[in-house]
């Protein structure tokens, strides 16, 4: 078995694949892709979309981070998600999928909107809406977390697919980053089910091991500055 991951450690989508590979104990070759530059022809031959991550498994190319991560967990029996084939496994996978879908359909768009908002009132409105989503829609789904999803003491596929975005939310609100309202995150920290779960993510080796916080913050600020400059043209 040969695995090559074409990736950027600044990208939360790529971060998913890194977490999955680490949790599964799979050996792989890492090829860094500089997202600040146009994709080189050799990479476009591998992935014509030019996106990251790309996984090369033996001679097969697999695209899109969710598909890459799920493919990896389907390779062998593991603690992240039960292999399909039984009603119990189907139910657990459905619950994981629902949690992940809720996060990305309800929460993450608000994080993005708050970060990219150009006026304080709009930024605060999106941040407050996020607090509401976490409290009313996500925290109840974590009621049995121990400390991870579904009563697990170990990371699950739910965390593989969401953790890289959750830890960035906390990083974005830190003094000096100032990308997301700190007041909203302080409210989030008072939601017990959620914060117990988030605290476990923030100290977990496979989640934090490839997270380059300062570089990520600089990268986001660079993108926002470029967008602002384009808007003025």
């Amino acid at each position: 078995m040969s695995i090559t991951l074409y990736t950027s450690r600044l990208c939360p989508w790529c971060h998913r694949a890194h977490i999955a590979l680490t949790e599964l104990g799979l050996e792989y070759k890492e090829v860094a892709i500089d997202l600040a530059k146009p994709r080189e022809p050799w990479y476009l031959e591998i992935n014509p979309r030019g996106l990251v991550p790309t996984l090369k498994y033996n001679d097969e190319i697999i695209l899109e981070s969710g598909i890459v991560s799920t493919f990896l967990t389907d390779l062998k029996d593991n603690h992240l998600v039960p292999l399909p084939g039984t009603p119990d496994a189907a139910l657990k996978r459905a619950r994981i999928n629902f949690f992940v879908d809720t996060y990305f359909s309800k929460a993450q768009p608000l994080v993005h909107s708050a970060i990219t908002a150009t006026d304080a009132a709009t930024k605060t409105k999106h941040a407050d809406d996020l607090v509401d989503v976490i409290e009313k829609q996500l925290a109840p789904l974590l009621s049995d977390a121990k400390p991870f999803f579904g009563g697990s003491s170990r990371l699950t596929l739910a965390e593989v697919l969401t953790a890289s975005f959750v830890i960035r939310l906390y990083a974005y609100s830190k003094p000096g980053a100032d990308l997301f309202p700190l007041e909203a995150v302080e409210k989030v920290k008072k939601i017990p089910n959620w914060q117990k779960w988030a605290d476990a993510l923030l100290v977990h080796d496979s989640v934090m091991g490839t997270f380059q916080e300062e570089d990520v913050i600089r990268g986001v600020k660079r993108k926002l500055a470029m967008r602002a400059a384009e808007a003025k043209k």
Side-chain angles (χ1 to χ4, degrees), residues 135-223:
E135 182 175 22
K136 295 179 180 178
Q137 300 195 48
L138 287 167
L141 301 177
L142 295 168
S143 61
D144 61 347
K146 293 184 179 180
F148 301 115
F149 187 81
S152 177
S153 62
R154 302 177 70 185
L155 226 62
T156 74
L157 185 60
E159 286 82 26
V160 169
L161 297 178
T162 59
S164 58
F165 295 87
V166 173
I167 65 171
R168 280 165 170 76
L169 170 63
Y170 287 83
Y172 293 158
S173 70
K174 289 181 179 179
D178 303 317
L179 291 167
F180 190 91
L182 176 60
E183 296 80 3
V185 172
E186 291 299 326
K187 293 177 183 177
V188 166
K189 290 179 179 179
K190 296 178 182 178
I191 303 172
N193 289 350
W194 170 272
Q195 194 56 40
K196 177 183 177 182
W197 177 73
D199 283 340
L201 298 181
L202 289 163
V203 296
H204 198 282
D205 288 344
S206 67
V207 173
M208 302 303 294
T210 60
F211 182 44
Q212 301 172 344
E213 183 172 317
E214 293 183 1
D215 291 339
V216 166
I217 297 299
R218 280 195 293 269
V220 173
K221 289 185 174 181
R222 182 170 60 247
K223 285 184 180 179

Side-chain angles (χ1 to χ4, degrees), residues 56-104:
K56 184 177 182 182
Y57 178 78
N58 295 332
D59 294 324
E60 298 291 336
I61 297 297
I62 302 167
L63 309 180
E64 299 299 330
S65 64
I67 296 171
V68 166
S69 300
T70 302
F71 166 78
L72 292 169
T73 63
D74 284 342
L75 286 174
K76 62 178 183 177
D77 190 25
N78 63 85
H79 63 279
L80 294 173
V81 63
L83 293 177
T86 67
D88 183 61
L91 182 58
K92 288 180 179 178
R93 293 171 77 99
R95 286 174 173 166
I96 287 172
N97 289 338
F98 183 73
F99 176 78
V100 174
D101 180 77
T102 302
Y103 183 83
F104 283 101

